Amino acid sequence: MAVVVIHLPLLLMKLPLKSYDTNFHIFFASHYLHHWFDPWNPKWYAGFSQTTYPPLPQQWVAVASHLFGLDLAYMVVQFVAVLLLAVGVYRFSALWVSPRAASFAALASVFLGSESFLVYSAGQLGTTSAAPIYLNALPFLYEWIRFGSWRSFLKAIVLFAAAAAAHHATLLFGSILFAVPILALAFIDRHEGEQASVAAVVARAVAITVIVSAVIAVVLLPFWMALIKYPVTQTPIPHPSRANYILSPQWGLNYFIVPYGALILALPFIFFRGSGNVRLRPLLLGFWVAFLLGLGGTTPVGPILLGRAFEVLTMERFSYWATLLALPFVGLLASELIDRHRRKAAVGLSIAAAFTCALAVAWSTYKPADAEDFKVDSVAAWLNRDGHDKYSYVTLGFGNKISRLAVLTDATSVDGEWNSGRMLPELTSHAGGALTSSKYFGKDGMDALRAILQHADHYGLKWVIVRDSYYDPLLSFAGWRPVDNLEDKTIAIWSKDGVPPATPVNSPQMPPHWQGVMWGTLPFGSSLLAILVVLIPQRRRSVVRSGLSIAPDEDLVPGRMAS
């Protein structure tokens, strides 16, 4: 009910469309809508493979778009992810604290600043979809390792596969931060209730690790093949989430204060209670590692632990995972405060939660992805008429609207927003992001733009669509000339004579047909299977734990996963 009250109106207002990556996910979904079994997308980078990004959330958007249209379908999938987060946080928290505290933790997840930041400012659908599925899988992982429940074994495998199909970074990094504390907890609890030997716990942990790894390897086989054959070796692109937040307080505000909000006030309690209780120490360790990684370049922890991955990943996802790991402590704190101070505590916690959520939601308006909102429909209409789409185009000054434009036109571009999918040497040899924002990447960005303009004939690049006059001298010097304008002359279209029409590139990265079949079948199928498997009734367990005061409850017994 809280999710419906808080997030449903914001999603129906399509507030995430103002975020950084929402249009990027809608662009991927639009390709699956028309080419479900063909992951080769010719619209960016003269062609790239969408097998470089796990497809599950975008495929669900494509499916739902048959009923709602792409924009609203995205909101539907994001809403389901927020709902699953509340359920997942409760089930995960119930492994560590009492059912009452777990309920408070689940309620707190609705107001979590990092969740609202990723949904409404960052637009990271993959991260916000994968994390809830992992959280719902972890209690089954505990049940299997601790008690040897075969039903839990099956459910854990299927849910882990579905979560992996939703996001690769959460699989490779986030799952470790969540799963390792669960393994440690099962080892600590082995003498409570049903006895389990060390050998049994270790054997079950090894067995499920091997089988889950094998299943994920098959489900995402095209992704692994693309990653191994064409690893990300391009020049690292700078990102403010890797900055030193002390030296750059504006980024500290954006990537620390806004995602954590009032949760910052709970940090002393988290460290005090987590270090003082044996059962909570694994959870504290997972939180502490994620917390330090989320600080980006403020500490040396990120570069040391992540190595080169630190130069590729963005760090806000680690802050998100840290806040999720902190929620069981938050639920415990809320429970104790309300027991002690009653109404005063309830009012104070409500104000803190509302402030945290409101700050993160408002941040997308105060600090939008683009300083100016504008429509690209007229640009798409121009590209789609009079044979203009026979040639490639580049936009300058469009920001993340390039994804929206790519959805609306069949014309191809040598630019794009998915850095890991690009293979053009003119782009990978420079530390610049999207060409449309070249000037913001300094010399590297402008060098990449010059290189692409110099090789315009090779890519059939005839149109440069400009919203920023900053680039006019460069275009004039390179031999381009304005030929048309749109939107009351706020958008100029530049052209170069003698450029041949764009032709499909016979790229070695193009996936074979069998990979397209796998990509359109296994990831989406894993989610359907997960929906069916979790309906299998789960055995009820009653576990008495030492070190925490847990009140008995007939319906919500700690250590048991309700199905």
PDB file of all heavy atoms in Angstrom, residues 400-427:
ATOM      1  N   ASN A 400      20.855  13.061 -23.266  1.00  0.00           N
ATOM      2  CA  ASN A 400      20.310  11.699 -23.332  1.00  0.00           C
ATOM      3  C   ASN A 400      19.061  11.590 -24.203  1.00  0.00           C
ATOM      4  O   ASN A 400      18.443  10.530 -24.269  1.00  0.00           O
ATOM      5  CB  ASN A 400      20.021  11.158 -21.933  1.00  0.00           C
ATOM      6  CG  ASN A 400      18.891  11.904 -21.228  1.00  0.00           C
ATOM      7  OD1 ASN A 400      18.364  12.877 -21.731  1.00  0.00           O
ATOM      8  ND2 ASN A 400      18.544  11.445 -20.052  1.00  0.00           N
ATOM      9  N   LYS A 401      18.708  12.683 -24.885  1.00  0.00           N
ATOM     10  CA  LYS A 401      17.587  12.614 -25.829  1.00  0.00           C
ATOM     11  C   LYS A 401      17.949  11.802 -27.074  1.00  0.00           C
ATOM     12  O   LYS A 401      17.079  11.513 -27.899  1.00  0.00           O
ATOM     13  CB  LYS A 401      17.151  14.016 -26.242  1.00  0.00           C
ATOM     14  CG  LYS A 401      16.537  14.835 -25.121  1.00  0.00           C
ATOM     15  CD  LYS A 401      15.233  14.215 -24.637  1.00  0.00           C
ATOM     16  CE  LYS A 401      14.503  15.124 -23.657  1.00  0.00           C
ATOM     17  NZ  LYS A 401      15.274  15.377 -22.429  1.00  0.00           N
ATOM     18  N   ILE A 402      19.230  11.444 -27.228  1.00  0.00           N
ATOM     19  CA  ILE A 402      19.594  10.652 -28.394  1.00  0.00           C
ATOM     20  C   ILE A 402      18.927   9.277 -28.355  1.00  0.00           C
ATOM     21  O   ILE A 402      18.639   8.694 -29.401  1.00  0.00           O
ATOM     22  CB  ILE A 402      21.130  10.506 -28.536  1.00  0.00           C
ATOM     23  CG1 ILE A 402      21.744   9.791 -27.332  1.00  0.00           C
ATOM     24  CG2 ILE A 402      21.771  11.864 -28.729  1.00  0.00           C
ATOM     25  CD1 ILE A 402      23.229   9.518 -27.502  1.00  0.00           C
ATOM     26  N   SER A 403      18.664   8.771 -27.168  1.00  0.00           N
ATOM     27  CA  SER A 403      17.953   7.492 -27.066  1.00  0.00           C
ATOM     28  C   SER A 403      16.506   7.644 -27.505  1.00  0.00           C
ATOM     29  O   SER A 403      15.963   6.794 -28.209  1.00  0.00           O
ATOM     30  CB  SER A 403      18.020   6.951 -25.634  1.00  0.00           C
ATOM     31  OG  SER A 403      19.335   6.622 -25.264  1.00  0.00           O
ATOM     32  N   ARG A 404      15.875   8.731 -27.087  1.00  0.00           N
ATOM     33  CA  ARG A 404      14.492   8.980 -27.496  1.00  0.00           C
ATOM     34  C   ARG A 404      14.411   9.160 -29.005  1.00  0.00           C
ATOM     35  O   ARG A 404      13.501   8.633 -29.655  1.00  0.00           O
ATOM     36  CB  ARG A 404      13.985  10.231 -26.779  1.00  0.00           C
ATOM     37  CG  ARG A 404      12.627  10.738 -27.210  1.00  0.00           C
ATOM     38  CD  ARG A 404      11.525   9.755 -26.942  1.00  0.00           C
ATOM     39  NE  ARG A 404      11.429   9.389 -25.549  1.00  0.00           N
ATOM     40  CZ  ARG A 404      10.458   8.619 -25.038  1.00  0.00           C
ATOM     41  NH1 ARG A 404       9.515   8.141 -25.821  1.00  0.00           N
ATOM     42  NH2 ARG A 404      10.451   8.323 -23.763  1.00  0.00           N
ATOM     43  N   LEU A 405      15.372   9.876 -29.582  1.00  0.00           N
ATOM     44  CA  LEU A 405      15.391  10.070 -31.036  1.00  0.00           C
ATOM     45  C   LEU A 405      15.575   8.748 -31.761  1.00  0.00           C
ATOM     46  O   LEU A 405      14.921   8.498 -32.785  1.00  0.00           O
ATOM     47  CB  LEU A 405      16.511  11.044 -31.410  1.00  0.00           C
ATOM     48  CG  LEU A 405      16.704  11.340 -32.899  1.00  0.00           C
ATOM     49  CD1 LEU A 405      15.432  11.922 -33.505  1.00  0.00           C
ATOM     50  CD2 LEU A 405      17.886  12.280 -33.116  1.00  0.00           C
ATOM     51  N   ALA A 406      16.430   7.878 -31.233  1.00  0.00           N
ATOM     52  CA  ALA A 406      16.675   6.589 -31.884  1.00  0.00           C
ATOM     53  C   ALA A 406      15.432   5.714 -31.891  1.00  0.00           C
ATOM     54  O   ALA A 406      15.248   4.899 -32.803  1.00  0.00           O
ATOM     55  CB  ALA A 406      17.824   5.873 -31.181  1.00  0.00           C
ATOM     56  N   VAL A 407      14.568   5.870 -30.898  1.00  0.00           N
ATOM     57  CA  VAL A 407      13.319   5.109 -30.867  1.00  0.00           C
ATOM     58  C   VAL A 407      12.386   5.562 -31.978  1.00  0.00           C
ATOM     59  O   VAL A 407      11.668   4.757 -32.583  1.00  0.00           O
ATOM     60  CB  VAL A 407      12.634   5.263 -29.489  1.00  0.00           C
ATOM     61  CG1 VAL A 407      11.234   4.647 -29.506  1.00  0.00           C
ATOM     62  CG2 VAL A 407      13.472   4.623 -28.395  1.00  0.00           C
ATOM     63  N   LEU A 408      12.423   6.860 -32.298  1.00  0.00           N
ATOM     64  CA  LEU A 408      11.445   7.450 -33.208  1.00  0.00           C
ATOM     65  C   LEU A 408      11.853   7.409 -34.671  1.00  0.00           C
ATOM     66  O   LEU A 408      11.035   7.719 -35.546  1.00  0.00           O
ATOM     67  CB  LEU A 408      11.177   8.907 -32.801  1.00  0.00           C
ATOM     68  CG  LEU A 408      10.602   9.121 -31.391  1.00  0.00           C
ATOM     69  CD1 LEU A 408      10.490  10.603 -31.086  1.00  0.00           C
ATOM     70  CD2 LEU A 408       9.253   8.438 -31.242  1.00  0.00           C
ATOM     71  N   THR A 409      13.111   7.075 -34.963  1.00  0.00           N
ATOM     72  CA  THR A 409      13.566   7.092 -36.353  1.00  0.00           C
ATOM     73  C   THR A 409      14.247   5.782 -36.716  1.00  0.00           C
ATOM     74  O   THR A 409      14.781   5.083 -35.846  1.00  0.00           O
ATOM     75  CB  THR A 409      14.545   8.261 -36.586  1.00  0.00           C
ATOM     76  OG1 THR A 409      14.961   8.261 -37.953  1.00  0.00           O
ATOM     77  CG2 THR A 409      15.775   8.133 -35.700  1.00  0.00           C
ATOM     78  N   ASP A 410      14.226   5.466 -38.010  1.00  0.00           N
ATOM     79  CA  ASP A 410      14.926   4.286 -38.520  1.00  0.00           C
ATOM     80  C   ASP A 410      16.334   4.636 -38.999  1.00  0.00           C
ATOM     81  O   ASP A 410      17.096   3.742 -39.379  1.00  0.00           O
ATOM     82  CB  ASP A 410      14.136   3.670 -39.685  1.00  0.00           C
ATOM     83  CG  ASP A 410      12.830   3.045 -39.221  1.00  0.00           C
ATOM     84  OD1 ASP A 410      12.788   2.554 -38.081  1.00  0.00           O
ATOM     85  OD2 ASP A 410      11.857   3.072 -39.998  1.00  0.00           O
ATOM     86  N   ALA A 411      16.676   5.920 -39.001  1.00  0.00           N
ATOM     87  CA  ALA A 411      18.015   6.326 -39.419  1.00  0.00           C
ATOM     88  C   ALA A 411      19.050   5.816 -38.413  1.00  0.00           C
ATOM     89  O   ALA A 411      18.761   5.651 -37.223  1.00  0.00           O
ATOM     90  CB  ALA A 411      18.091   7.849 -39.523  1.00  0.00           C
ATOM     91  N   THR A 412      20.248   5.562 -38.892  1.00  0.00           N
ATOM     92  CA  THR A 412      21.316   5.026 -38.050  1.00  0.00           C
ATOM     93  C   THR A 412      22.253   6.144 -37.603  1.00  0.00           C
ATOM     94  O   THR A 412      22.334   7.205 -38.232  1.00  0.00           O
ATOM     95  CB  THR A 412      22.129   3.967 -38.810  1.00  0.00           C
ATOM     96  OG1 THR A 412      22.737   4.573 -39.962  1.00  0.00           O
ATOM     97  CG2 THR A 412      21.228   2.827 -39.253  1.00  0.00           C
ATOM     98  N   SER A 413      22.950   5.898 -36.528  1.00  0.00           N
ATOM     99  CA  SER A 413      23.879   6.878 -35.980  1.00  0.00           C
ATOM    100  C   SER A 413      25.190   6.196 -35.614  1.00  0.00           C
ATOM    101  O   SER A 413      25.218   4.983 -35.341  1.00  0.00           O
ATOM    102  CB  SER A 413      23.278   7.558 -34.739  1.00  0.00           C
ATOM    103  OG  SER A 413      24.210   8.427 -34.127  1.00  0.00           O
ATOM    104  N   VAL A 414      26.268   6.963 -35.592  1.00  0.00           N
ATOM    105  CA  VAL A 414      27.551   6.426 -35.119  1.00  0.00           C
ATOM    106  C   VAL A 414      27.772   6.791 -33.663  1.00  0.00           C
ATOM    107  O   VAL A 414      28.835   6.528 -33.098  1.00  0.00           O
ATOM    108  CB  VAL A 414      28.722   6.952 -35.978  1.00  0.00           C
ATOM    109  CG1 VAL A 414      28.653   6.381 -37.376  1.00  0.00           C
ATOM    110  CG2 VAL A 414      28.743   8.477 -36.007  1.00  0.00           C
ATOM    111  N   ASP A 415      26.768   7.386 -33.039  1.00  0.00           N
ATOM    112  CA  ASP A 415      26.823   7.736 -31.622  1.00  0.00           C
ATOM    113  C   ASP A 415      25.899   6.814 -30.839  1.00  0.00           C
ATOM    114  O   ASP A 415      25.181   5.992 -31.419  1.00  0.00           O
ATOM    115  CB  ASP A 415      26.411   9.195 -31.440  1.00  0.00           C
ATOM    116  CG  ASP A 415      26.839   9.768 -30.092  1.00  0.00           C
ATOM    117  OD1 ASP A 415      27.608   9.100 -29.385  1.00  0.00           O
ATOM    118  OD2 ASP A 415      26.413  10.890 -29.774  1.00  0.00           O
ATOM    119  N   GLY A 416      25.882   6.929 -29.527  1.00  0.00           N
ATOM    120  CA  GLY A 416      25.020   6.115 -28.690  1.00  0.00           C
ATOM    121  C   GLY A 416      25.341   6.325 -27.228  1.00  0.00           C
ATOM    122  O   GLY A 416      26.280   7.047 -26.864  1.00  0.00           O
ATOM    123  N   GLU A 417      24.547   5.678 -26.358  1.00  0.00           N
ATOM    124  CA  GLU A 417      24.719   5.842 -24.904  1.00  0.00           C
ATOM    125  C   GLU A 417      25.230   4.596 -24.200  1.00  0.00           C
ATOM    126  O   GLU A 417      25.478   4.641 -22.993  1.00  0.00           O
ATOM    127  CB  GLU A 417      23.374   6.251 -24.269  1.00  0.00           C
ATOM    128  CG  GLU A 417      22.974   7.683 -24.512  1.00  0.00           C
ATOM    129  CD  GLU A 417      21.904   8.136 -23.551  1.00  0.00           C
ATOM    130  OE1 GLU A 417      20.742   7.683 -23.676  1.00  0.00           O
ATOM    131  OE2 GLU A 417      22.215   8.947 -22.663  1.00  0.00           O
ATOM    132  N   TRP A 418      25.380   3.495 -24.929  1.00  0.00           N
ATOM    133  CA  TRP A 418      25.838   2.257 -24.285  1.00  0.00           C
ATOM    134  C   TRP A 418      27.314   2.076 -24.602  1.00  0.00           C
ATOM    135  O   TRP A 418      27.692   1.506 -25.613  1.00  0.00           O
ATOM    136  CB  TRP A 418      25.009   1.067 -24.759  1.00  0.00           C
ATOM    137  CG  TRP A 418      25.460  -0.260 -24.237  1.00  0.00           C
ATOM    138  CD1 TRP A 418      25.648  -1.402 -24.963  1.00  0.00           C
ATOM    139  CD2 TRP A 418      25.761  -0.614 -22.883  1.00  0.00           C
ATOM    140  NE1 TRP A 418      26.059  -2.429 -24.160  1.00  0.00           N
ATOM    141  CE2 TRP A 418      26.139  -1.973 -22.869  1.00  0.00           C
ATOM    142  CE3 TRP A 418      25.774   0.091 -21.680  1.00  0.00           C
ATOM    143  CZ2 TRP A 418      26.512  -2.648 -21.708  1.00  0.00           C
ATOM    144  CZ3 TRP A 418      26.146  -0.566 -20.519  1.00  0.00           C
ATOM    145  CH2 TRP A 418      26.495  -1.914 -20.525  1.00  0.00           C
ATOM    146  N   ASN A 419      28.173   2.565 -23.708  1.00  0.00           N
ATOM    147  CA  ASN A 419      29.612   2.607 -23.979  1.00  0.00           C
ATOM    148  C   ASN A 419      30.218   1.231 -24.195  1.00  0.00           C
ATOM    149  O   ASN A 419      31.134   1.060 -25.008  1.00  0.00           O
ATOM    150  CB  ASN A 419      30.337   3.322 -22.844  1.00  0.00           C
ATOM    151  CG  ASN A 419      29.928   4.779 -22.725  1.00  0.00           C
ATOM    152  OD1 ASN A 419      29.604   5.419 -23.717  1.00  0.00           O
ATOM    153  ND2 ASN A 419      29.927   5.305 -21.518  1.00  0.00           N
ATOM    154  N   SER A 420      29.732   0.217 -23.488  1.00  0.00           N
ATOM    155  CA  SER A 420      30.308  -1.122 -23.610  1.00  0.00           C
ATOM    156  C   SER A 420      29.949  -1.787 -24.933  1.00  0.00           C
ATOM    157  O   SER A 420      30.567  -2.785 -25.305  1.00  0.00           O
ATOM    158  CB  SER A 420      29.848  -2.006 -22.444  1.00  0.00           C
ATOM    159  OG  SER A 420      30.330  -1.493 -21.217  1.00  0.00           O
ATOM    160  N   GLY A 421      28.955  -1.257 -25.634  1.00  0.00           N
ATOM    161  CA  GLY A 421      28.559  -1.851 -26.897  1.00  0.00           C
ATOM    162  C   GLY A 421      29.270  -1.265 -28.094  1.00  0.00           C
ATOM    163  O   GLY A 421      29.223  -1.823 -29.189  1.00  0.00           O
ATOM    164  N   ARG A 422      29.953  -0.163 -27.927  1.00  0.00           N
ATOM    165  CA  ARG A 422      30.596   0.492 -29.067  1.00  0.00           C
ATOM    166  C   ARG A 422      31.951  -0.145 -29.362  1.00  0.00           C
ATOM    167  O   ARG A 422      32.698  -0.508 -28.445  1.00  0.00           O
ATOM    168  CB  ARG A 422      30.753   1.983 -28.807  1.00  0.00           C
ATOM    169  CG  ARG A 422      31.643   2.328 -27.631  1.00  0.00           C
ATOM    170  CD  ARG A 422      31.692   3.821 -27.419  1.00  0.00           C
ATOM    171  NE  ARG A 422      32.698   4.182 -26.430  1.00  0.00           N
ATOM    172  CZ  ARG A 422      33.064   5.420 -26.173  1.00  0.00           C
ATOM    173  NH1 ARG A 422      32.511   6.418 -26.836  1.00  0.00           N
ATOM    174  NH2 ARG A 422      33.976   5.675 -25.271  1.00  0.00           N
ATOM    175  N   MET A 423      32.247  -0.277 -30.650  1.00  0.00           N
ATOM    176  CA  MET A 423      33.498  -0.879 -31.088  1.00  0.00           C
ATOM    177  C   MET A 423      34.234  -0.026 -32.117  1.00  0.00           C
ATOM    178  O   MET A 423      35.293  -0.425 -32.579  1.00  0.00           O
ATOM    179  CB  MET A 423      33.221  -2.275 -31.675  1.00  0.00           C
ATOM    180  CG  MET A 423      32.752  -3.293 -30.656  1.00  0.00           C
ATOM    181  SD  MET A 423      34.039  -3.710 -29.458  1.00  0.00           S
ATOM    182  CE  MET A 423      33.107  -4.734 -28.307  1.00  0.00           C
ATOM    183  N   LEU A 424      33.689   1.134 -32.462  1.00  0.00           N
ATOM    184  CA  LEU A 424      34.334   1.980 -33.464  1.00  0.00           C
ATOM    185  C   LEU A 424      35.648   2.514 -32.896  1.00  0.00           C
ATOM    186  O   LEU A 424      35.671   3.100 -31.810  1.00  0.00           O
ATOM    187  CB  LEU A 424      33.417   3.135 -33.858  1.00  0.00           C
ATOM    188  CG  LEU A 424      32.049   2.747 -34.438  1.00  0.00           C
ATOM    189  CD1 LEU A 424      31.268   3.989 -34.830  1.00  0.00           C
ATOM    190  CD2 LEU A 424      32.228   1.820 -35.633  1.00  0.00           C
ATOM    191  N   PRO A 425      36.748   2.350 -33.619  1.00  0.00           N
ATOM    192  CA  PRO A 425      38.051   2.779 -33.084  1.00  0.00           C
ATOM    193  C   PRO A 425      38.137   4.273 -32.823  1.00  0.00           C
ATOM    194  O   PRO A 425      38.874   4.703 -31.943  1.00  0.00           O
ATOM    195  CB  PRO A 425      39.039   2.337 -34.173  1.00  0.00           C
ATOM    196  CG  PRO A 425      38.214   2.174 -35.416  1.00  0.00           C
ATOM    197  CD  PRO A 425      36.867   1.739 -34.949  1.00  0.00           C
ATOM    198  N   GLU A 426      37.376   5.069 -33.587  1.00  0.00           N
ATOM    199  CA  GLU A 426      37.393   6.517 -33.364  1.00  0.00           C
ATOM    200  C   GLU A 426      36.849   6.870 -31.985  1.00  0.00           C
ATOM    201  O   GLU A 426      37.183   7.924 -31.430  1.00  0.00           O
ATOM    202  CB  GLU A 426      36.543   7.231 -34.422  1.00  0.00           C
ATOM    203  CG  GLU A 426      37.076   7.106 -35.841  1.00  0.00           C
ATOM    204  CD  GLU A 426      36.552   5.870 -36.552  1.00  0.00           C
ATOM    205  OE1 GLU A 426      35.941   5.004 -35.879  1.00  0.00           O
ATOM    206  OE2 GLU A 426      36.745   5.767 -37.771  1.00  0.00           O
ATOM    207  N   LEU A 427      35.998   5.992 -31.430  1.00  0.00           N
ATOM    208  CA  LEU A 427      35.391   6.246 -30.123  1.00  0.00           C
ATOM    209  C   LEU A 427      36.162   5.581 -28.990  1.00  0.00           C
ATOM    210  O   LEU A 427      36.383   6.181 -27.937  1.00  0.00           O
ATOM    211  CB  LEU A 427      33.935   5.762 -30.115  1.00  0.00           C
ATOM    212  CG  LEU A 427      33.008   6.350 -31.187  1.00  0.00           C
ATOM    213  CD1 LEU A 427      31.612   5.767 -31.050  1.00  0.00           C
ATOM    214  CD2 LEU A 427      32.961   7.866 -31.082  1.00  0.00           C
TER     215      LEU A 427
END
